Amino acid sequence: MAVAESIEDVLLKRLRAVEQEQIDLLQLVVDVMRHAHAGNHAMCVESLAQVVGMSYLMAHELGIPPERLDREVVLALEGMPVDPERDRQKAAEDIIQYLKSRWEGRRRDA
């Protein structure tokens, strides 16, 4: 007969899983930087996609729905300081518009 896992055991397993995902995420970020430095655009894009995917998986493991993560990304981009030497403001606005359009699309589909 199987013994039910205690809450502590379940929490420890989840903590270990999240810790491993953090390590995996850091490795993916290193891969992004390595590919960007080497000028390997295709591999850089693939690694960035993996970083985003891993972020959504970690959020899911922590009980954070994808929509909430999207909203937090928008808030982070909106709060990002403007650096006059970098043209990030327009890029941030484009990404914010894209994420908000996804919300609108979900509402129409629901």
Side-chain angles (χ1 to χ4, degrees), residues 20-35:
Q20 184 58 51
E21 288 172 351
Q22 289 172 336
I23 293 167
D24 294 344
L25 183 59
L26 286 172
Q27 182 58 53
L28 290 171
V29 170
V30 168
D31 290 346
V32 169
M33 301 307 289
R34 185 170 24 97
H35 296 311

Side-chain angles (χ1 to χ4, degrees), residues 6-108:
S6 71
I7 293 174
E8 292 84 10
D9 290 338
V10 171
L11 288 174
L12 280 174
K13 280 184 181 179
R14 291 192 78 190
L15 273 175
R16 282 190 211 108
V18 169
E19 285 175 355
Q20 184 58 51
E21 288 172 351
Q22 289 172 336
I23 293 167
D24 294 344
L25 183 59
L26 286 172
Q27 182 58 53
L28 290 171
V29 170
V30 168
D31 290 346
V32 169
M33 301 307 289
R34 185 170 24 97
H35 296 311
H37 181 72
N40 189 337
H41 182 73
M43 292 302 293
C44 187
V45 170
E46 183 179 316
S47 294
L48 280 170
Q50 291 174 349
V51 167
V52 172
M54 181 61 74
S55 297
Y56 279 96
L57 285 173
M58 283 182 68
H60 184 278
E61 282 292 316
L62 295 169
I64 302 166
E67 298 83 11
R68 167 94 190 274
L69 190 58
D70 286 350
R71 285 192 302 273
E72 292 299 325
V73 169
V74 167
L75 290 173
L77 290 171
E78 289 174 338
M80 201 173 280
V82 177
D83 183 350
E85 295 189 22
R86 297 177 81 177
D87 190 26
R88 279 195 164 169
Q89 188 65 30
K90 175 68 171 112
E93 289 170 4
D94 290 347
I95 294 165
I96 290 167
Q97 181 179 351
Y98 167 75
L99 288 171
K100 286 183 175 182
S101 73
R102 285 180 24 176
W103 299 337
E104 292 302 317
R106 282 190 202 124
R107 282 190 208 138
R108 281 193 299 269

